Amino acid sequence: GALNLDGNSWAEVHDNASLDFSSGMTLEAWIKLENTNQAIIGKWNFAGNKKEYLLFYNSTNVLQAFFGNGSSYQFTSTSYTADGSWVHFVGTSDGSTITPYVNGVAGTTTAQTTPLGASDIPVRIGVDDTGNSLSPNQIAQPRIYNRALTAAEVQKNYNAGKNIYTN
């Protein structure tokens, strides 16, 4: 049950106040990493300089979790080489700390001094707002939570999906 993207398609969820957060949130997805520079899931508008949240995999093999408000944002990242395998990637923000997780393991946290914000940007899965980072890869179980998941919850979600996506 993955969203199969071919480099020409993506999914969009129209804006709704329930997708704006002020005190904490989590972005989560399983991604089959075969290519680089891909937007995974988020509310981000590069052209309009509006930034809220985004999971992204860049051309230097870095998984990034961005969280922001308007024109400012902060991010944390962790390295992972695209080798065609499924990866469980999670970014959490509790309002003061940003933490990335890869396959249930926490990466380096970053202090968050930019608060979370709200905008009228739709949530996009598999593309950024420019259309330049179309994902040719599969994305499964993209999720947005209205709070920061705990490390135990992230591990539980990873364990629940690893037999599906890693075998």
Side-chain angles (χ1 to χ4, degrees):
L3 178 63
N4 294 305
L5 305 172
D6 61 7
N8 295 308
S9 58
W10 67 90
E12 182 174 284
V13 178
H14 296 288
D15 180 51
N16 185 290
S18 68
L19 296 170
D20 294 324
F21 308 99
S22 60
S23 60
M25 65 169 303
T26 299
L27 298 171
E28 174 182 36
W30 282 90
I31 312 105
K32 189 168 187 181
L33 291 177
E34 298 174 299
N35 295 290
T36 58
N37 268 347
Q38 63 175 314
I40 300 163
I41 183 171
K43 284 182 83 166
W44 207 261
N45 182 318
F46 292 102
N49 203 27
K50 294 180 181 178
K51 302 169 175 87
E52 274 196 66
Y53 48 82
L54 177 68
L55 288 182
F56 192 83
Y57 184 68
N58 75 19
S59 61
T60 59
N61 299 323
V62 176
L63 287 158
Q64 300 172 311
F66 293 87
F67 296 94
N69 179 358
S71 62
S72 60
Y73 66 90
Q74 291 173 278
F75 75 96
T76 188
S77 61
T78 187
S79 296
Y80 193 89
T81 302
D83 62 2
S85 64
W86 282 95
V87 178
H88 182 246
F89 184 41
V90 177
T92 66
S93 166
D94 64 8
S96 62
T97 304
I98 300 170
T99 306
Y101 293 84
V102 175
N103 294 337
V105 178
T108 303
T109 62
T110 300
Q112 183 176 353
T113 57
T114 301
L116 295 171
S119 73
D120 59 357
I121 304 168
V123 170
R124 293 182 180 94
I125 302 168
V127 68
D128 66 18
D129 69 302
T130 65
N132 293 328
S133 294
L134 283 164
S135 175
N137 301 322
Q138 296 178 62
I139 298 173
Q141 298 183 9
R143 297 175 179 162
I144 300 173
Y145 298 85
N146 63 357
R147 62 183 178 81
L149 294 182
T150 65
E153 290 171 317
V154 171
Q155 183 67 50
K156 180 180 176 184
N157 289 355
Y158 168 69
N159 288 339
K162 71 180 179 182
N163 290 332
I164 297 169
Y165 298 107
T166 61
N167 289 336

